Amino acid sequence: PVADFNMLNQEIMKYGNGKLALMPQIVVVNKVDVWEEKQQKKEQEKEGSSSLEEWEQGLKTRMKREELEEQLRGVMTHSRLMWMSAKGGNGVDDLMGRMAAFVQKVKEVDSQQS
């Protein structure tokens, strides 16, 4: 996941004149409901079942939420890390509110620069 974060940011820097890379970011980790359920099952079973659910099969790295958060915060230049479950709706309203606030700030900055 951290390598993906870094790759995405490199792509953002290449886009256009680089202005996009200077914009505020929100890093959102989705599917936390499934992730947390799976982690709980793994901890309870302790026998290392090799059967993975479909969404997990493509994952190269499996780690606990705390480990992922620590790694992401180590490479992020900001503190806007959110956890959500789009399926369950957890964190969606918070994300939409934060996005609306960011869009408003960008509009204000753009109007001041014009």
Side-chain angles (χ1 to χ4, degrees):
V2 175
D4 294 336
F5 174 81
N6 289 331
M7 181 206 52
L8 286 170
N9 277 297
Q10 289 172 1
E11 290 295 320
I12 289 171
M13 282 195 240
K14 292 177 186 176
Y15 180 77
N17 60 5
K19 184 179 176 183
L20 185 59
L22 302 174
M23 302 295 275
Q25 292 182 336
I26 299 176
V27 176
V28 181
V29 179
N30 190 22
K31 295 189 180 274
V32 294
D33 56 334
V34 177
W35 182 265
E36 289 172 349
E37 288 173 15
K38 197 67 174 173
Q39 289 300 319
Q40 288 174 353
K41 286 180 187 177
K42 285 180 182 179
E43 288 177 11
Q44 290 172 355
E45 291 172 0
K46 296 273 185 181
E47 56 196 40
S49 174
S50 61
S51 62
L52 297 175
E53 292 186 24
E54 183 179 338
W55 69 272
E56 281 187 297
Q57 291 177 6
L59 294 177
K60 296 178 183 171
T61 306
R62 293 174 182 81
M63 63 184 76
K64 293 184 179 181
R65 177 178 172 159
E66 295 81 17
E67 293 173 285
L68 177 58
E69 181 170 357
E70 182 180 335
Q71 287 186 16
L72 284 171
R73 290 204 184 273
V75 296
M76 292 169 42
T77 59
H78 56 81
S79 60
R80 293 175 298 275
L81 175 63
M82 298 181 65
W83 302 87
M84 66 176 275
S85 166
K87 180 180 179 183
N90 301 332
V92 174
D93 290 339
D94 189 26
L95 174 62
M96 298 305 287
R98 287 180 123 179
M99 292 298 295
F102 279 135
V103 168
Q104 184 61 37
K105 282 183 183 180
V106 168
K107 286 181 179 181
E108 290 171 8
V109 169
D110 281 350
S111 69
Q112 291 171 358
Q113 292 176 350
S114 299

